[in-house]
Structure formats: structure tokens, C-alpha cells
Amino acid sequence: MNRLTHMNEQGRAKMVDISDKSSTVRTAEACTSIEVNEDIYKAIVNQTVKKGDVLSVAQVAGIMAAKNTSQIIPMCHPLSLSGVDIHFKWETSPYRLHITSSVKTKGPTGVEMEALTAASAAALTVYDMCKALDKGMVIGPTYLKKKTGGKSGDYLREDLE
């Protein structure tokens, strides 16, 4: 019988046992974006948003989210992360903030969910800090750009930028 790895004999969810997996260096990079209007773009760039420096707060939120992914995503293992970084890049037609998170660990399981959670939390933080200016911001798409290490090997997505 071909069982799903996250299901027990009763057909209920379980956390996968990773105790026999090799500890290797694993990395993941995830991307998302948030489209804003021109007023929000200018307020972020000129640091005039009343709640503070939007990108600094979003960067810290992304790092904190990566570190706490197992508390948000039920079947994720708590991981000791060796590095988390968040990068921002503006596009001005339309006004879109591209967010890239990079996460690294040495352990028995990958960091894809940590990277995705970090990018998502950073985008949500931008939304939260700017929603008083406009609630029509759009987040996404959110996707795994690449990963390295582990039994399944490396992955690189080339169709989205």
C-alpha cells in the first residue's frame, strides 16, 4: 500500500520521522511581491509611513517568521537555522515590491517552508504597515525559486521572476 508520508495508520496527520535522515547543508530561496499604488511606493521609499521604516520592519518580520515556521505550519519540524536574509527590489510600472528570502541550515530536512514563510510574512508586514493608505494592495505570486541539498536534490524554478 502506498501511504502518504504525513498520514498515520488511521489516516490522520502526523509529523514525519526524520531521525534517520542525513544531516546536510540545505538552502532555499522563495519569492513573492506586493503591488502598491504610487502614494504607498513614495511613502515607503521616502520613509514617511507613520508606522515607521516599512522595509526594515518587514525584513525583521521575515526573519522572525522563518525562525518560527514550525509554530505556524503544523507538520514542519523545528529547525536550527544558520542564516536568513531578505532582499527587496522595486519595480515602478506597476509599483511592485519584489521580496526574496534566503534560508540556510545544516540538518536532516529542508528549509523550503521557512523561506516561503519568511517571504510571505515580509509581504504581509508591508500590507499591515501601509493599509491605512490603501487596502487594495495585492500580494503574490509566492513561490519557491530554488533549493539545494537533501535526498531529492536541487531544484530551480525558471518560469517566474
Side-chain angles (χ1 to χ4, degrees):
M1 182 173 159
N2 189 6
R3 292 188 328 137
L4 297 172
T5 60
H6 284 73
M7 303 294 273
N8 67 17
E9 295 79 18
Q10 295 179 330
R12 299 194 182 278
K14 73 171 185 176
M15 180 185 270
V16 172
D17 182 358
I18 59 171
S19 57
D20 291 335
K21 292 178 77 175
S22 299
S23 187
T24 61
V25 174
R26 297 158 188 264
T27 67
E29 186 175 294
C31 302
T32 195
S33 62
I34 181 166
E35 187 172 333
V36 301
N37 65 27
E38 185 177 4
D39 291 338
I40 292 175
Y41 165 76
K42 287 179 179 177
I44 292 172
V45 169
N46 296 324
Q47 295 189 11
T48 59
V49 175
K50 291 183 180 180
K51 288 188 175 185
D53 182 344
V54 174
L55 299 185
S56 291
V57 175
Q59 187 158 16
V60 172
I63 293 167
M64 290 176 63
K67 291 168 42 175
N68 289 289
T69 299
S70 67
Q71 295 176 14
I72 301 167
I73 309 296
M75 300 307 158
C76 282
H77 295 83
L79 301 179
S80 177
L81 303 179
S82 53
V84 180
D85 199 3
I86 311 287
H87 288 273
F88 303 103
K89 181 181 174 187
W90 280 107
E91 173 185 343
T92 55
S93 183
Y95 293 99
R96 182 183 308 272
L97 179 65
H98 294 275
I99 303 167
T100 302
S101 66
S102 302
V103 181
K104 185 175 184 180
T105 192
K106 183 174 184 183
T109 191
V111 288
E112 297 95 297
M113 292 309 301
E114 287 73 12
L116 288 161
T117 302
S120 298
L124 289 167
T125 300
V126 171
Y127 187 98
D128 177 57
M129 293 187 72
C130 298
K131 67 183 184 247
L133 299 170
D134 177 38
K135 292 175 181 44
M137 294 171 278
V138 177
I139 295 172
T142 303
Y143 58 96
L144 181 67
K145 175 69 176 170
K146 65 182 176 180
K147 77 147 207 99
T148 64
K151 185 177 177 183
S152 66
D154 296 349
Y155 168 83
L156 176 62
R157 182 177 192 136
E158 297 180 9
D159 64 329
L160 290 172
E161 277 303 313

